[in-house]
Amino acid sequence: VPGQYPSVDTSGNFTMTQIPSSPTDIAQGSTTSGYTEVTSDLYYSGGHLGTLKIPAIGLTVKVYQGTDSALKKGAGHFTDTSIWDGNACFAGHNRGVNNHFGKIHTLEAGDTITLTTLLGTRTYAVTSVEKVSVNDSSGTAATTDNRVTLYTCVMNQPEYRWCVTAIQQ
């Protein structure tokens, strides 16, 4: 569902939490924010949009559109965020069969994240790892710099999310 990201309650059930405002609402009227819309020509033949690589945690994961059933296959791209220019935002599970983002909270400043799409490959350096409120969607706002923002649940703390920000090098 657009504008939503996954949460896990303490019983382990999968639920969706509404993001208060979409990044497109935030970016309206701004001509300086970068934004690349997902279009049909940006999909690989396997149905994914790209690949995220994070060597510090040994992660290579394909990125799919959306943050619902896409998370069963890999990382999910927040549908209301850019896929290339500006702020590209992704969600992933942190436990279970697809715990792709299970170690993102251990990343440190300077660790690299590489995003490869049909538009090219960019490398980003981690600038922050924060525990944020489940209702804090500020990390998905459009930006003038090129960055990736990663979200996952905080184990056994359904009211929080890990938010990792990395800026293009």
Side-chain angles (χ1 to χ4, degrees):
V1 177
Q4 294 187 344
Y5 59 89
S7 63
V8 178
D9 66 23
T10 55
S11 66
N13 294 324
F14 182 78
T15 59
M16 296 303 288
T17 303
Q18 185 66 38
I19 296 173
S21 61
S22 78
T24 50
D25 291 339
I26 296 166
Q28 282 182 351
S30 171
T31 58
T32 58
S33 296
Y35 183 83
T36 305
E37 183 179 355
V38 172
T39 54
S40 59
D41 60 332
L42 292 182
Y43 285 89
Y44 286 88
S45 59
H48 61 288
L49 289 168
T51 304
L52 282 170
K53 291 185 181 183
I54 310 176
I57 58 173
L59 177 67
T60 299
V61 62
K62 289 182 179 173
V63 172
Y64 295 88
Q65 182 69 326
T67 55
D68 48 14
S69 62
L71 299 185
K72 294 177 183 173
K73 300 183 278 185
H77 171 250
F78 284 89
T79 57
D80 290 337
T81 70
S82 178
I83 189 60
W84 190 244
D85 290 327
N87 188 10
C89 302
F90 306 96
H93 286 308
N94 69 354
R95 57 182 158 179
V97 177
N98 294 323
N99 66 338
H100 302 295
F101 282 13
K103 295 181 182 176
I104 66 168
H105 66 283
T106 67
L107 292 171
E108 298 178 0
D111 286 343
T112 60
I113 299 173
T114 302
L115 173 63
T116 301
T117 72
L118 288 173
L119 296 169
T121 297
R122 285 184 176 155
T123 301
Y124 307 81
V126 172
T127 57
S128 68
V129 178
E130 299 177 275
K131 187 193 288 188
V132 299
S133 165
V134 66
N135 298 315
D136 182 355
S137 64
S138 61
T140 63
T143 61
T144 56
D145 59 2
N146 293 327
R147 65 175 62 192
V148 293
T149 305
L150 310 178
Y151 278 98
T152 196
C153 297
V154 176
M155 196 172 294
N156 301 319
Q157 295 182 28
E159 65 276 13
Y160 293 103
R161 297 287 175 272
W162 288 113
C163 178
V164 175
T165 303
I167 308 290
Q168 183 182 4
Q169 293 183 305

